[in-house]
């Protein structure tokens, strides 16, 4: 399992990749990490967490 910090960095990289036009300059401090922590604790991968947060997995 990835550490919380590694997981956060991967989420950030994926968000930058997925939304290059609008989130290219997003930084770690720009994300509301307490809102994402449950996804990490549930054991979701960064990709699965993004899909769930954006309701792409419904």
């Amino acid at each position: 399992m990835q550490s919380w910090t590694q997981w956060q960095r991967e989420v950030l990289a994926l968000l930058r990749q997925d939304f290059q036009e609008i989130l290219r300059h997003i930084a770690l401090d720009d994300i509301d990490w307490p809102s994402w922590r449950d996804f990490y604790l549930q054991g979701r991968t960064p990709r699965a967490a993004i899909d769930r947060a954006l309701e792409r997995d419904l």
Side-chain angles (χ1 to χ4, degrees), residues 42-55:
Q42 291 167 7
R44 292 182 188 262
T45 65
R47 170 59 65 203
I50 291 169
D51 288 346
R52 183 65 193 119
L54 300 177
E55 297 185 349

Side-chain angles (χ1 to χ4, degrees), residues 1-16:
M1 184 171 173
Q2 292 177 310
S3 73
W4 171 235
T5 303
Q6 291 170 322
W7 191 91
Q8 289 174 298
R9 289 177 191 206
E10 189 170 338
V11 167
L12 179 63
L14 289 168
L15 286 171
R16 285 178 177 157

Side-chain angles (χ1 to χ4, degrees), residues 1 3-5 9 14 17-19 22-24 26 28 31 33 41 47 51 54-55 57-58:
M1 184 171 173
S3 73
W4 171 235
T5 303
R9 289 177 191 206
L14 289 168
Q17 176 185 331
D18 289 355
F19 301 99
I22 54 177
L23 296 180
R24 182 180 353 197
I26 192 171
L28 280 171
I31 297 175
W33 291 113
L41 295 174
R47 170 59 65 203
D51 288 346
L54 300 177
E55 297 185 349
D57 66 343
L58 299 177

